[in-house]
Amino acid sequence: MLDDDKVSALLARARREVDDGLLPAVQLAIGLDGEVVVDETFGADPATRFVPFSCTKALVGAALWRLVGDGDLDLTAPVATYVPAFATNDKEGVTVEQVLMHVGGFPTAPLGPGRWETREGRLEAFARWRLTLTPGETFMYHPTAGHWVLAEIIETLAGEPYADAVERLVTAPLGLPRLLGIPRDQQDGILDAVAVGEPPTADEMEEAFGVRVDLAALVPPDVAVGALLTLNAPEARELGVPGGGAVVRAADLARLYQAFLHDPEGLWDPEVLADATGTVRNQLPDLWGTPASRTRGGLVVAGDDGLAHRRGFGRTVSPRAFGHDGAGGQLAFADPETGLSVAYLTNGLDQHLIRQQRRDTAIASLAADLLPT
């Protein structure tokens, strides 16, 4: 049972962003004991669906865990074992687990509209890609490239399109709707993402992070959000970009993470699930010096170093909490200590990085602390 006063405080904080005109719409869901116990939407119809951006990565990871448990996939094997086209330009030694942990060495490898629609186009892109970092030595987040490779592994081993395999292996058995690769005639009620706000000034960045950076000059705002806004396109939603193009309600993510906690259908081998959600294998620092705290299951663990808020968990979770957030402030995680799962979505891509991160910390902290004391 949740504390009603704490729930009210959480909902008021989430609603405030819409009431103040900072975000056009938000959606929030809380799971507990295998059920969704809070499901609220502000600024849109309750049935509205959102693109959760990189929260999608947990969905793709969950399909891979099934393949590992069935003995079809060895995470320590080179990617080229399953995708021979990848074995070019010194990439033959890159392993599957390195890709899952974002140490594969090709973070900005290009693949977009015009090539990503067909398997042939994707394989041609893999063959052209070159390493920009030494695999295994540097943690550099791979926004989409790595998950295109992982999707191809799923497609190869499952013998069907990767989005169909994700549905068969994960969402359908859990009673969830199709969340990746949405047919054109089923795209009603999906809210387009929009850019809001302005980037922080160099003075604000220095005050907040101790580093003087002019973000607007470094990465123009239209470039920063341009790739994300391509996921508004019906053709992108139909394809289902595996690194960030799922289409969900917050309740879908809350239920998915309840399944990660309880596995009611026995989908995953228990050892594989425990490893994917709890064993940290990558502690290399990110650009800001924060240890990655990533598993080879493709998830992030809150950790006990006092930096959970930098990883999208807020300040009130246990060190065992796990999840994966998404661009623009999307949150998705579960905490084995409390049994809570949390999903927070918005279609407002706030360009003010500092405000967005403080919002994330506030929402996540309130959402993770809903049980009576």
Side-chain angles (χ1 to χ4, degrees), residues 14-27 40-46 48-50 53 190-197 229 232 328-330 344-351 355 359:
R15 183 188 300 111
R16 190 177 86 193
E17 306 298 327
V18 177
D19 290 346
D20 290 350
L22 296 175
L23 296 174
V26 302
Q27 193 172 76
E40 295 288 345
T41 305
F42 305 108
D45 186 280
T48 293
R49 292 177 289 170
F50 295 73
F53 300 112
I190 303 173
L191 208 56
D192 282 350
V194 296
V196 299
L229 296 182
N232 287 336
Q330 326 304 318
Y344 170 84
L345 304 173
T346 177
N347 68 321
L349 304 179
D350 196 342
Q351 302 308 287
R355 180 172 59 208
R359 174 190 301 130

Side-chain angles (χ1 to χ4, degrees), residues 285-351:
D286 65 13
L287 290 173
W288 305 100
T290 303
S293 194
R294 284 184 174 264
T295 77
R296 66 175 182 174
L299 297 180
V300 184
V301 175
D304 59 1
D305 57 2
L307 299 176
H309 63 288
R310 295 191 184 181
R311 303 184 179 109
F313 296 97
R315 300 180 185 277
T316 60
V317 295
S318 80
R320 296 176 59 205
F322 60 85
H324 203 298
D325 60 9
Q330 326 304 318
L331 302 172
F333 62 88
D335 191 339
E337 295 295 326
T338 63
L340 293 170
S341 61
V342 175
Y344 170 84
L345 304 173
T346 177
N347 68 321
L349 304 179
D350 196 342
Q351 302 308 287

